[in-house]
Amino acid sequence: MSEDTGFKYSAFTPVLSRKKRKNKTQLERPPLLTLVQRAAQELSKDDWISRCLCLLQDHLATRSSAPSKILCLGLGSPSSSPNSRAQLALLLEICKATAIEHCNVSVYDPVFTEEDDVLFKHLDIRMLAENKASGEGRYPLEAPTILWMPHCDLGLYENVLAANWSRTQLSYIILISNRLGDYVDSTPKRKLETMAPCVLHFADIVESCILPACTAWTTAFNSIAIQSLRDARVCGDCAIGDYQTP
């Protein structure tokens, strides 16, 4: 056995506090905007973004008015989630394809961090503050709007639709989200009539176009579809007016 039991300083690795480890990781990590740009590059593989934007343009071509705003709910935190960064990257590409300026994009998620706030300000995207009037997703729309709501819970979809339950306001909605028909197919109708009646009715009167599978980000965009109200000749006012929101 070796008799050299002395303490060797050169072999010592100090244990950083949790706060210092976090700061060290943040210093080593590329800037958040760079990570979002890298996500966009990965999404461009196999022309995935191009195919998605073509589907969106085809969808918008059938409408009388082009969207002028984007409302993004439930994005998650780009600083904390790779999937959120990929979903933000798609949002920025949608802005380019539709000529919607960043100043006409609003985002809200209660998990946003200070770093996310800095990023949105840099991008000139408006980060909404929580308030009672529009809390829990009850945002009434005043113009044709793309709603980018990736993988939100059923209650959030219900609240957005309930806040816009009229022929005029529903016609404003271009919803890019989980395919609402999946909820109808997998949930008993009686249960939906109680907990999400707007989702139940809306899923029955929309055109839905599912996005292609994304090999680069398999979980960020699964089951996402472009959905909007069908032509008035197919879906008249009675389909909406017969149902009274709570």
Side-chain angles (χ1 to χ4, degrees):
M1 179 181 295
S2 172
E3 296 182 356
D4 183 10
T5 59
F7 178 78
K8 295 184 180 295
Y9 183 83
S10 61
F12 175 67
T13 301
V15 178
L16 298 176
S17 69
R18 199 173 284 180
K19 182 177 181 181
K20 288 183 178 179
R21 286 200 302 269
K22 182 178 179 180
N23 290 340
K24 185 173 184 292
T25 301
Q26 290 177 339
L27 288 174
E28 292 174 348
R29 193 192 73 182
L32 184 52
L33 180 59
T34 300
L35 295 178
V36 174
Q37 292 168 337
R38 288 180 182 176
Q41 292 172 353
E42 292 181 15
L43 290 178
S44 297
K45 295 177 181 177
D46 301 323
D47 293 324
W48 184 83
I49 283 183
S50 297
R51 286 183 289 153
C52 290
L53 295 179
C54 283
L55 291 175
L56 178 59
Q57 295 289 13
D58 289 345
H59 205 87
L60 296 179
T62 64
R63 305 176 62 84
S64 59
S65 300
S68 58
K69 298 181 179 181
I70 296 177
L71 173 61
C72 176
L73 302 175
L75 180 69
S77 169
S79 62
S80 305
S81 167
N83 278 351
S84 295
R85 292 194 285 272
Q87 291 161 356
L88 175 58
L90 178 59
L91 170 59
L92 298 177
E93 292 298 324
I94 290 174
C95 289
K96 293 179 186 177
T98 57
I100 295 176
E101 296 183 1
H102 288 188
C103 60
N104 290 322
V105 178
S106 300
V107 296
Y108 178 74
D109 195 304
V111 302
F112 285 156
T113 66
E114 291 183 9
E115 189 178 8
D116 297 328
D117 188 10
V118 171
L119 174 65
F120 291 132
K121 286 179 179 177
H122 175 77
L123 293 171
D124 197 25
I125 289 175
R126 180 186 176 206
M127 192 166 74
L128 300 172
E130 184 179 14
N131 59 67
K132 293 182 180 179
S134 58
E136 300 179 351
R138 295 183 180 273
Y139 293 92
L141 303 180
E142 300 177 351
T145 302
I146 293 175
L147 293 180
W148 177 214
M149 299 177 63
H151 302 320
C152 295
D153 60 58
L154 181 60
L156 189 56
Y157 294 131
E158 176 68 15
N159 288 345
V160 168
L161 293 176
N164 293 281
W165 200 260
S166 71
R167 145 90 19 210
T168 298
Q169 287 177 294
L170 288 181
S171 69
Y172 289 158
I173 294 176
I174 303 97
L175 179 63
I176 308 178
S177 70
N178 292 61
R179 194 181 80 88
L180 299 183
D182 290 344
Y183 292 105
V184 176
D185 296 339
S186 62
T187 309
K189 183 177 180 180
R190 182 174 297 181
K191 185 175 181 180
L192 283 177
E193 287 175 337
T194 301
M195 64 184 296
C198 291
V199 169
L200 176 63
H201 285 70
F202 191 69
D204 191 46
I205 56 176
V206 295
E207 296 285 355
S208 180
C209 178
I210 197 79
L211 296 188
C214 180
T215 56
W217 297 88
T218 56
T219 59
F221 303 101
N222 58 308
S223 301
I224 297 295
I226 305 168
Q227 302 155 98
S228 64
L229 204 62
R230 287 202 294 265
D231 190 281
R233 292 170 296 180
V234 178
C235 172
D237 289 332
C238 59
I240 297 169
D242 288 348
Y243 172 67
Q244 299 297 319
T245 59

